[in-house]
Amino acid sequence: MFEPAQQNGSPRIGFYVCHCGHNIAGKVDVTAVAQAVARFPGVVLSRDYKYMCSDPGQQMIMDDIREQKLDRVVVASCSPLLHEHTFRTAVARGGLNAFHFQMVNIRENVSWVHDDPADATEKAVDLARAAVRRVRLHRALEQKKVPITPAVLIVGGGIAGIHAALTLASAGKKVYLVEKEPTIGGHMAKFDKTFPTLDCAACILTPKMSAVRSHPNITLWTYSEVTKVEGFVGRYRVTVKRKPRYVIEELCVGCLECIEACVFKEGKFYDEFNQGLGKRKPVYIPFPQATPQLVLIDPEQCIEFKSGKCKKTCAEKCDRDAIDFKQTERIEQIEVGAVIVATGFQTVPSEKVPFYGYGRMPNVFTALEVERLVNASGPTGGQVVTREGKAPKAVGIIHCVGSRDEKTNRWCSRVCCMYSLKLAHLIKEHTGAEVFNFYTDMRTAGKGYEEFFYKVMDDGVHFIRGRVAEVSDWAFTPDEEGKLVIRVEDTLIGRVRRVPVDMVVLATGLEPGPDSQQIRRLFNMSCSSEGFFLERHPKLAPVDTFTDGVYIAGACQSPKDIPDTVAQAGAAAAQVLALIDAGSKELEPNTAYIVEEECSGCKSCIALCPYTAISFDAARKKALLNEALCKGCGTCVASCPSGSIRQNLFQDDEIFSEIEGLLTPVT
Amino acid sequence: MSAHVAAREGAAPRAEWKPRVVAFFCNWCTYTAADLAGVSRLKHSPHFRIIRVMCSGRVDPQFVMDAFARGADAVLIGGCHPGDCHYMEGNYNCLRRFHLLQRMLGQMGIEKERFRLEWISASEGERVKTVVNSLVEDVVRLGPLALPGRLREWDREIDHLEAAVSERHEEATSHAR
């Protein structure tokens, strides 16, 4: 039933079992494994070695191939997802076809998850037997190379997307930067200062924003969303929806006179950029330094859209006729070789922590709101004031809101300690108020961070160690009248304290953005359990994903501060450059193919292929498989009643021999 | 139970019976989750063996039958959650086959607990542990399947029947003569 595997007489299999230091050898009796495998048919050599992936380990394989005339190699070590490529390369350098190799996972699948050494060793031997049986049938395969289109899509125009875009563009690559908001800049654009240096966020960000706008290699599409991604590494076909601004981009010069002329004399609507602390008109620009410097109209609010009876003073005022109430959304199609996803985060919604009274008590603020308050270009011109407009005399900053808590999110959001210190410093500087920080642990790991912590302590900011139980406006004593009372157990003195303040700041943590699940599906990525995008390897491939040609950067991967985000964005850009400059990428040869003589023309495979790689040749009554479109899932192979569809690397006989090997009794 | 063990000729006699579960895990979600279980050092039952395939849609029903016929006490298929398949819809195709196959196996006397399909995403290392442990627990409760022995018994029965039929046929034809 199956094609004979390519065999020249009896196979000569070399087997290697890795100690991985104590990682494997601490649980699996590697010597016993090597001895057991030495007796399997076809195995001519069976060794154990401390670190197979190291240079001497690889050299051993290469030497053995030459000296012992091995024609198949099996390595029992870690997960193939980690080192399959390493060993395939070694096998190829030794002179064999890279696919005359099979890997056995006895670390992640055995030594790390099983307690009993006897069980672990038995399992390792079973898995090795399956691999030895399988590898005998392995065919020599060639890897196809796909060319890489020298263009990149970057999704998300925060500091990560901006930095990656500029890096790639200055290396001469074509960049499409897509941002869903009307301006780039992301969260960083809302900040006044950045820790620990207290340099002005706008002064370091806005020049980069304008560089993006003016760079000839960057196409910037704001107020736009990626709606569809097809293709594969080297050639992704991406559809981008550009929402209508109702302002013609090519004509608008950002003079903002239309805003002035709007029939609304005052701002009336929730100003997203200022977290609702300010009001804006239906025709607006998110903030003065917005990039691109273009206004837009919110059709939900504009009278012309609601009633059609507006005087349209904005359009009258515009001497360039840039306002176009009839504008519709535009669909753009682009082709790129690689993608960087840098879609950022959202702060934990305050509704998740109702006991801190946000929304119920007006002077409970989120940290982002306070970022806007302290910002010179913010709604209060940099004055930190309560909702009544008064300067606070005492301010409490509650750390770990929605972080490190089983009720909300279990992870540490990494940036809140530092931004709380920054806000404490700025609030004190702006108002002279007493500032109390209620912290769980101070986490100030980073260059200059601990020093900054000491500086803020020297400023006279108070630190109380304890998780705040609740914020209430229920006064027990006269000095608590009209104040917000923070109730907390001070764990350093072992007492419950009540601290009356005029303003409470919630240091809300970071969590995956609201549309992260859609984005994940769009680019075929995985998420870690918190919902942040999953990197290919936490240490060795921190910006790669499991989808070739798709990279991640910034807080969409995990909470991180600006320095780490920029570093990661640079890393992602470097990976893309390596991909593009290599010119081509070798694909895993696990595609399917049809043995035509055996195809009965039943067509059952055709409907199963999600990539329409299979078509029907009506004249010859045979199914035809386009290997360029096949992604190698093998679903058609499993469904073919005549067994005429095969899959490279996962042939039926290879899998059957694996099953047989696993279930053959130990003798 | 001891009769079962004796009947289980597919395996060489061991001091004690240990369940044998064959698991087909898809490369992108469940295999990655098993790796994560390893990295997180989540200890679980050693009585299962993973075969990696690219997609749960690649699992040919014959693989499952073959595993049972060769002495597996249970078979587990692990794939991506609905809507999350790396290949868009391979897991749905697997699901369809799974239901058909489970019914067929039931008619052969294979309890439905012995054949499971689970959706385990790349982040659910913990779930690999709980699924494997619960499956092994089920198998321990049910005891060995010992299908190789049973198949041989059935073969013998059929041989007997066939022999009897052909004897009668011969008798009948000799009478007619």
Side-chain angles (χ1 to χ4, degrees), chain A residues 79 114 122 521 524 650 652, chain B residues 14 35 44 58 84 86:
Chain A
S79 170
H114 302 320
E122 189 185 324
R521 295 217 164 106
N524 219 340
F650 294 91
D652 278 354
Chain B
R14 285 192 214 177
D35 269 8
H44 51 274
R58 174 67 182 94
D84 285 356
H86 191 82

Side-chain angles (χ1 to χ4, degrees), chain A residues 154 158-171 208 340-342 542-544 551-554 560 562-578:
Chain A
I154 299 178
I159 181 60
I162 290 172
H163 186 77
L166 288 173
T167 308
L168 287 162
S170 52
K208 287 183 88 111
I340 296 177
V341 178
V543 297
D544 297 51
Y551 303 88
I552 46 178
K560 53 179 66 67
I562 294 166
D564 284 2
T565 297
V566 171
Q568 211 179 22
Q575 293 288 29
V576 170
L577 286 178

